[in-house]
Amino acid sequence: MMDPVALQARRRPHAPAVVGAGATAVTYEELDRLVEEAAGALMEVCRAEGLRPPIRPGEAAWRNETGERVGAPAVSVRFRPSLEGVVAIHAVWRAGAILLPLNPGWSDAQLERILPPEWTPGFTLAQGEDGGPGVLKRGETALPSRTTLPRRTSLPRRTTHARRTGVQGAKGPDPVAVMLTSGTDGLPTAVPVSRENLEFSARGSADRLSLTEDDVWLWTLSPAHIGGLALVHRAAFLGCAVQPLPRFTGEGAAALLSHPGFSHASLVPVMLRDLLEVWGRRAPPPRLRCLLLGGAATPRGLVEQAVRAGFSVALTYGLTQATSQVATNPPEAVARELSSGGELTVGMPLPGVSVEIVEPDARGVGGIRVRGGTVALPSSGGGEGVSPHGVMEAYLDTGDLGALNDSGRLRVLGRQSRRIISGGVNVEPGEVEEVLLRHPGIREVVVLGRPHPRWGEEVVAVVVEDRPEAGVRLPDILEYTRPLLPAAARPRALRVVEALPRNPNGKVDLAAVRAMLQER
C-alpha cells in the first residue's frame, strides 16, 4: 500500500502540505524528505535495540537479533498540532512501526495508570514542555529538522517501558495506530486502528464534505484525539494542506482564520464558542467553506449563533472505535434543518457505513450500532469478525443512544451509561440538556442522575451561567421546564459552577463532575 506522503510527493511535489505562520509552507516534496530522514533515524534506534525493521516498505514483519519474527514496536508520539508532529506520525508509519499517539498534557503517572500493558511503547517521540520538540535522547540519534524549527527532535526510549510490543498472528489488517479513548466515563481503553480504517474514513469524509486537494485545514485537535489523527492522515491521503495551531485559544484561532487561505476548520463545541466570542461581527473569510463540529454534542443555540455570524457549519458524530466520523451533516443540510425549525441531526451515515438502532422505545430511541470500513479492529488485537478487506462483519455497539428520522438521518442523545431511571421512567440526559440550553441564563449544562430513596434516581443539573448576573435558581428551572419536560425529567437539584471540568480532548469530564457533586 502506497505511503500517502510519498504518493503526493510524486503527484504534487510543490503543493503545500503543512502551512506555517505568514507565507511559509512545507511542500509535499519537502515533507517527504523530512519523513524519510526521520523514519531512517527511527529504524537506526530500533536496530541499536536489536530489532530489524521490515526490508520493504509496508511489510509488517519485524525480526529480533536471531531473525525470528516479532511484533512491530509501538512508538508513542506526544505532540501538539505542529510540523514536527506531522513528520513524527508519518515517520512512524513509514518505518513500519505502530503509532501510539498520546496527549502531551498527560503526565507519566497518568500514562502508567491508563496504558494497557500490551501497548506499552518501546520508544517515544515527545514534545518539550515549552511547546518545542523534545530534548530527551538515547545516544546521539535524533530526528532531522529544518533550520526553522526550534530544536532538534530526539528519539528517546523510555527506560521504564523497555518491552517491545506488537500484534502477532492477528487476523485481518495489521494495526498502524493504537488510540486511547478519551475516557469520559472511566479509564481509557486501547483501540487498534488499521490503515484501511483510516483510508475508508478519509474517502467517506471527502465524499460527504466535497473535499479537494486544494483545501487548507486549520488543525486544532491533538493527534491523541481520533479527529486530530484522522485529519493528519486525510490531508496527506487527499493531498491538501493543514496549518497547525499548537495551543488553542479563541484569539489564536480567530487570528489564523482571518487570513483568506483557509477552507476548513475542525473544532469541538467549546472551541467554537471561544472563537465566536472573539470573532465579533466580522464577516467570515470568503474561502472558509466549513467549520466541522464533533467530539461532543453541539447545542442548537451555538449552531444558530455561528450560522447567524455567517459561518457554514457541519455537524458530525463519531467515535474512536469507528475511526472518527460515522455520520456527517454538511453545511447546507444543517442550514435547512435550522430554517425549518426541526430537530438538528448529525446527518446520514458516511458512504459504506451502516447504522441501526437497537431495541428502540416508543419514540424510536435506542442503542446505536455501526458497521463498515471505519470500524476499528477488536481491542484484543485478535481480529475476530474482520473480513479480508478490513470491514467488520458484526456491528459495533457504540454505547450511545440515538434515533433515525424518516429520512434516515441520525440524532444522537448521549451515552447509554448516562441514562437515568427515575420512578421507572427512562430519562435521557441529552434531551434534558437540550431543553436547558434554550434557557437564556444557561451557557453550558451537564445533567446526571443521583440516588434517591423513593424514585431510585433523580435528575441533577450542573450549569454554567451565561453571565454572572443571570442568577439561575432551581425554582426558575422547574417552572421553565414544566411545559417542556415530563415530571421525571425535570431537574430536582441544581448546582451552578464557573466552568465545567474537561479532559485533554475538550470533552466534559463526567467523572470529575460526579466528584464535584459528591463533595457537595
Short mmCIF file of all heavy atoms in Angstrom, two decimals, residues 295-320:
data_model
loop_
_atom_site.label_atom_id
_atom_site.label_comp_id
_atom_site.label_asym_id
_atom_site.label_seq_id
_atom_site.Cartn_x
_atom_site.Cartn_y
_atom_site.Cartn_z
N GLY A 295 -16.88 15.61 18.35
CA GLY A 295 -16.23 15.36 19.63
C GLY A 295 -17.17 15.43 20.82
O GLY A 295 -16.89 14.89 21.87
N ALA A 296 -18.29 16.12 20.68
CA ALA A 296 -19.29 16.23 21.74
C ALA A 296 -20.55 16.81 21.12
O ALA A 296 -20.52 17.37 20.01
CB ALA A 296 -18.79 17.13 22.88
N ALA A 297 -21.66 16.69 21.83
CA ALA A 297 -22.92 17.24 21.32
C ALA A 297 -22.82 18.75 21.22
O ALA A 297 -22.31 19.42 22.13
CB ALA A 297 -24.06 16.84 22.24
N THR A 298 -23.29 19.31 20.12
CA THR A 298 -23.25 20.74 19.90
C THR A 298 -24.62 21.35 20.20
O THR A 298 -25.61 20.98 19.56
CB THR A 298 -22.86 21.07 18.45
OG1 THR A 298 -21.62 20.43 18.14
CG2 THR A 298 -22.71 22.57 18.26
N PRO A 299 -24.72 22.27 21.15
CA PRO A 299 -26.01 22.87 21.46
C PRO A 299 -26.59 23.61 20.24
O PRO A 299 -25.86 24.26 19.49
CB PRO A 299 -25.68 23.87 22.58
CG PRO A 299 -24.39 23.38 23.16
CD PRO A 299 -23.65 22.75 22.03
N ARG A 300 -27.89 23.50 20.05
CA ARG A 300 -28.54 24.14 18.91
C ARG A 300 -28.28 25.65 18.91
O ARG A 300 -28.02 26.25 17.87
CB ARG A 300 -30.05 23.87 18.96
CG ARG A 300 -30.80 24.43 17.76
CD ARG A 300 -32.30 24.32 17.91
NE ARG A 300 -32.99 24.76 16.72
CZ ARG A 300 -33.42 23.95 15.76
NH1 ARG A 300 -33.23 22.65 15.87
NH2 ARG A 300 -34.04 24.44 14.70
N GLY A 301 -28.35 26.27 20.10
CA GLY A 301 -28.13 27.71 20.16
C GLY A 301 -26.76 28.12 19.66
O GLY A 301 -26.60 29.18 19.05
N LEU A 302 -25.76 27.29 19.91
CA LEU A 302 -24.40 27.60 19.45
C LEU A 302 -24.32 27.50 17.93
O LEU A 302 -23.68 28.33 17.28
CB LEU A 302 -23.41 26.64 20.10
CG LEU A 302 -21.93 26.86 19.80
CD1 LEU A 302 -21.49 28.25 20.25
CD2 LEU A 302 -21.08 25.79 20.48
N VAL A 303 -24.98 26.49 17.35
CA VAL A 303 -25.01 26.36 15.89
C VAL A 303 -25.73 27.57 15.28
O VAL A 303 -25.26 28.16 14.30
CB VAL A 303 -25.71 25.06 15.47
CG1 VAL A 303 -25.75 24.95 13.95
CG2 VAL A 303 -24.99 23.86 16.06
N GLU A 304 -26.86 27.96 15.87
CA GLU A 304 -27.60 29.12 15.36
C GLU A 304 -26.75 30.38 15.44
O GLU A 304 -26.75 31.20 14.51
CB GLU A 304 -28.88 29.30 16.16
CG GLU A 304 -29.91 28.19 15.93
CD GLU A 304 -31.10 28.30 16.84
OE1 GLU A 304 -30.96 28.90 17.94
OE2 GLU A 304 -32.18 27.80 16.47
N GLN A 305 -26.01 30.55 16.52
CA GLN A 305 -25.15 31.72 16.67
C GLN A 305 -24.09 31.76 15.58
O GLN A 305 -23.82 32.81 14.98
CB GLN A 305 -24.49 31.70 18.05
CG GLN A 305 -23.58 32.90 18.32
CD GLN A 305 -22.87 32.78 19.66
OE1 GLN A 305 -23.12 31.85 20.45
NE2 GLN A 305 -21.97 33.71 19.93
N ALA A 306 -23.47 30.60 15.30
CA ALA A 306 -22.43 30.55 14.27
C ALA A 306 -23.00 30.83 12.88
O ALA A 306 -22.41 31.57 12.09
CB ALA A 306 -21.75 29.18 14.29
N VAL A 307 -24.17 30.27 12.60
CA VAL A 307 -24.79 30.48 11.27
C VAL A 307 -25.22 31.93 11.11
O VAL A 307 -25.06 32.53 10.04
CB VAL A 307 -25.97 29.51 11.09
CG1 VAL A 307 -26.75 29.85 9.82
CG2 VAL A 307 -25.46 28.07 11.01
N ARG A 308 -25.76 32.53 12.18
CA ARG A 308 -26.12 33.96 12.11
C ARG A 308 -24.90 34.82 11.83
O ARG A 308 -24.99 35.86 11.17
CB ARG A 308 -26.78 34.41 13.41
CG ARG A 308 -28.22 33.97 13.57
CD ARG A 308 -28.91 34.79 14.67
NE ARG A 308 -28.20 34.71 15.94
CZ ARG A 308 -28.45 33.81 16.89
NH1 ARG A 308 -29.40 32.89 16.68
NH2 ARG A 308 -27.78 33.80 18.02
N ALA A 309 -23.73 34.39 12.34
CA ALA A 309 -22.49 35.14 12.12
C ALA A 309 -21.93 34.94 10.71
O ALA A 309 -20.94 35.56 10.35
CB ALA A 309 -21.44 34.74 13.15
N GLY A 310 -22.57 34.06 9.93
CA GLY A 310 -22.15 33.85 8.55
C GLY A 310 -21.30 32.63 8.30
O GLY A 310 -20.88 32.39 7.17
N PHE A 311 -21.05 31.82 9.34
CA PHE A 311 -20.22 30.62 9.17
C PHE A 311 -21.06 29.46 8.63
O PHE A 311 -22.24 29.33 8.96
CB PHE A 311 -19.59 30.21 10.50
CG PHE A 311 -18.53 31.15 10.99
CD1 PHE A 311 -18.83 32.13 11.93
CD2 PHE A 311 -17.23 31.06 10.51
CE1 PHE A 311 -17.86 33.00 12.39
CE2 PHE A 311 -16.25 31.93 10.96
CZ PHE A 311 -16.56 32.90 11.90
N SER A 312 -20.44 28.63 7.83
CA SER A 312 -21.05 27.39 7.37
C SER A 312 -20.62 26.28 8.32
O SER A 312 -19.42 26.04 8.50
CB SER A 312 -20.59 27.06 5.94
OG SER A 312 -21.05 28.04 5.03
N VAL A 313 -21.59 25.61 8.94
CA VAL A 313 -21.32 24.64 9.99
C VAL A 313 -21.77 23.26 9.55
O VAL A 313 -22.89 23.08 9.07
CB VAL A 313 -22.05 25.04 11.29
CG1 VAL A 313 -21.86 23.98 12.37
CG2 VAL A 313 -21.55 26.40 11.78
N ALA A 314 -20.88 22.28 9.72
CA ALA A 314 -21.23 20.88 9.52
C ALA A 314 -21.18 20.18 10.87
O ALA A 314 -20.31 20.47 11.70
CB ALA A 314 -20.26 20.21 8.55
N LEU A 315 -22.13 19.29 11.12
CA LEU A 315 -22.18 18.53 12.36
C LEU A 315 -21.82 17.08 12.09
O LEU A 315 -22.29 16.49 11.11
CB LEU A 315 -23.58 18.60 12.98
CG LEU A 315 -24.08 19.99 13.36
CD1 LEU A 315 -25.50 19.91 13.91
CD2 LEU A 315 -23.16 20.63 14.39
N THR A 316 -20.99 16.51 12.94
CA THR A 316 -20.58 15.13 12.75
C THR A 316 -20.67 14.36 14.05
O THR A 316 -20.51 14.93 15.14
CB THR A 316 -19.15 15.06 12.18
OG1 THR A 316 -18.83 13.69 11.87
CG2 THR A 316 -18.13 15.57 13.17
N TYR A 317 -20.95 13.08 13.94
CA TYR A 317 -20.94 12.16 15.07
C TYR A 317 -19.96 11.05 14.76
O TYR A 317 -19.95 10.50 13.65
CB TYR A 317 -22.32 11.56 15.30
CG TYR A 317 -22.31 10.28 16.12
CD1 TYR A 317 -22.02 10.31 17.48
CD2 TYR A 317 -22.57 9.04 15.53
CE1 TYR A 317 -22.00 9.14 18.23
CE2 TYR A 317 -22.56 7.87 16.27
CZ TYR A 317 -22.27 7.92 17.62
OH TYR A 317 -22.24 6.76 18.36
N GLY A 318 -19.12 10.75 15.71
CA GLY A 318 -18.17 9.66 15.52
C GLY A 318 -17.62 9.20 16.84
O GLY A 318 -17.98 9.70 17.90
N LEU A 319 -16.72 8.26 16.78
CA LEU A 319 -16.07 7.75 17.97
C LEU A 319 -14.76 7.09 17.57
O LEU A 319 -14.53 6.78 16.39
CB LEU A 319 -16.97 6.78 18.72
CG LEU A 319 -17.41 5.48 18.04
CD1 LEU A 319 -17.89 4.50 19.13
CD2 LEU A 319 -18.56 5.72 17.07
N THR A 320 -13.91 6.92 18.55
CA THR A 320 -12.59 6.35 18.28
C THR A 320 -12.71 4.98 17.62
O THR A 320 -11.98 4.67 16.67
CB THR A 320 -11.80 6.23 19.59
OG1 THR A 320 -11.73 7.52 20.21
CG2 THR A 320 -10.39 5.73 19.33
#
